[in-house]
Amino acid sequence: SGTPEVAKSLKTKLGSEKPKGEWNEMEIHVHGSEKATFILNGETVLELYDMHTVAGANGEVKIPLTKGHIGLQAEWADLLYRNIRIKEL
C-alpha cells in the first residue's frame, strides 16, 4: 500500500455557490485514475488529472487508483445532503 496523491490539479474555481438557504447541486465525474471533474451548479469548478498512489521509499512508484471510498465532508460549515446518487459510467 502507498500514500494517495494527486499529481496534476488544474482549474480551481470558487464562488459558484447559491445563496444561503438554497440547495447547491454538485456532480462529480471520475474517469478511472485519469481525470475527475467537479461541477457545481452547472459550472466546472475543479479538474484533477493523473490520480495515483505512491509507493517506494521515495515515492518513485506510481500506482493508478482503481478503487477507494467516497467521502463527503465540509471544512467550515454545517452541511446537509439530499438526493445522493451514484451511477457507474
Side-chain angles (χ1 to χ4, degrees):
S1 80
T3 304
E5 177 184 276
V6 176
K8 298 174 188 166
S9 172
L10 271 182
K11 193 176 180 183
T12 302
K13 195 173 189 182
L14 300 175
S16 300
E17 298 90 1
K18 290 185 178 179
K20 184 177 180 178
E22 293 184 32
W23 286 99
N24 288 289
E25 182 177 324
M26 172 67 80
E27 292 181 44
I28 304 170
H29 299 228
V30 179
H31 302 277
S33 62
E34 298 163 12
K35 180 180 178 184
T37 303
F38 297 79
I39 303 165
L40 179 61
N41 299 320
E43 185 174 348
T44 300
V45 294
L46 178 63
E47 291 178 320
L48 301 174
Y49 298 90
D50 191 23
M51 296 169 288
H52 56 269
T53 295
V54 294
N58 298 313
E60 66 275 5
V61 179
K62 294 183 178 182
I63 305 165
L65 296 176
T66 57
K67 62 182 179 178
H69 300 280
I70 297 172
L72 305 173
Q73 71 180 52
E75 298 293 334
W76 57 89
D78 290 336
L79 194 60
L80 302 172
Y81 299 97
R82 70 175 185 173
N83 300 328
I84 296 173
R85 294 177 292 246
I86 299 172
K87 176 179 159 183
E88 187 170 347
L89 300 174

